Amino acid sequence: QVQLVESGGGLVQAGGSLRLSCAASGRSFSMYTMGWFRQAPGKEREFVAAIRWSDGGTSYADSVKGRFTGSRDAAKNTVYLQMNSLEPEDTAVYYCAARYDGGRRYFTRDKNSYGYWGQGTQVTVSA
C-alpha cells in the first residue's frame, strides 16, 4: 500500500525558510503526481504545490508562487517542499498527497482527486 510520511515541520520566524520532506513508499510513482496541501484552523484544506513524478514538473498556488519550490528525488522516493520567505499566513498543517495520473499531463489541484495522504506536519511562522 502507498504510504506517505511528512517531516521537517516546525517553528520559524517570518522571512525564514523551511524544507518539508515526504517519504513515499509502496509503489513506483513514475505515473503519479505528488501534491502539497495545507490546512489552517477553521479553513478548508488548500492546494499548495504539485510535482509530477516523471519529470519533476511543478505547479503552484498563486499564494506561494515564487516563494515555494517543489521537487522530487526519484532515487530516494522522496518529495520536497522548499519554503522561503515564510509569512505568518503560511502557518498550517502541511500534508503530502499522491494521485495516479494515468499518463495525463495536467496538474490536479482538487484535494478530492488525491487518493493518498500523509499524516501532516505542523508549520508555524511567527511574526
Side-chain angles (χ1 to χ4, degrees):
Q1 292 296 119
V2 169
Q3 186 172 14
L4 307 173
V5 181
E6 303 98 331
S7 62
L11 301 172
V12 65
Q13 290 191 307
S17 298
L18 208 58
R19 188 175 82 157
L20 306 183
S21 298
C22 174
S25 62
R27 279 180 207 166
S28 168
F29 292 90
S30 60
M31 299 291 285
Y32 279 69
T33 291
M34 313 301 293
W36 286 100
F37 293 78
R38 66 187 183 186
Q39 187 167 19
K43 300 184 70 176
E44 287 291 305
R45 192 170 300 185
E46 66 176 358
F47 171 81
V48 175
I51 306 97
R52 189 165 49 235
W53 193 275
S54 60
D55 64 357
T58 55
S59 180
Y60 302 96
D62 289 344
S63 59
V64 307
K65 200 171 297 180
R67 300 188 298 123
F68 291 9
T69 303
S71 62
R72 63 97 178 85
D73 186 332
K76 296 181 178 179
N77 260 35
T78 302
V79 296
Y80 303 96
L81 185 68
Q82 178 67 48
M83 305 184 292
N84 299 325
S85 301
L86 283 162
E87 299 293 339
E89 291 72 24
D90 297 314
T91 295
V93 176
Y94 282 70
Y95 296 90
C96 180
R99 71 179 301 274
Y100 178 72
D101 289 326
R104 295 177 177 86
R105 299 291 292 175
Y106 63 86
F107 291 103
T108 300
R109 299 187 171 201
D110 179 9
K111 62 182 181 294
N112 296 309
S113 296
Y114 287 77
Y116 306 99
W117 294 86
Q119 80 291 341
T121 185
Q122 177 71 48
V123 171
T124 302
V125 184
S126 64

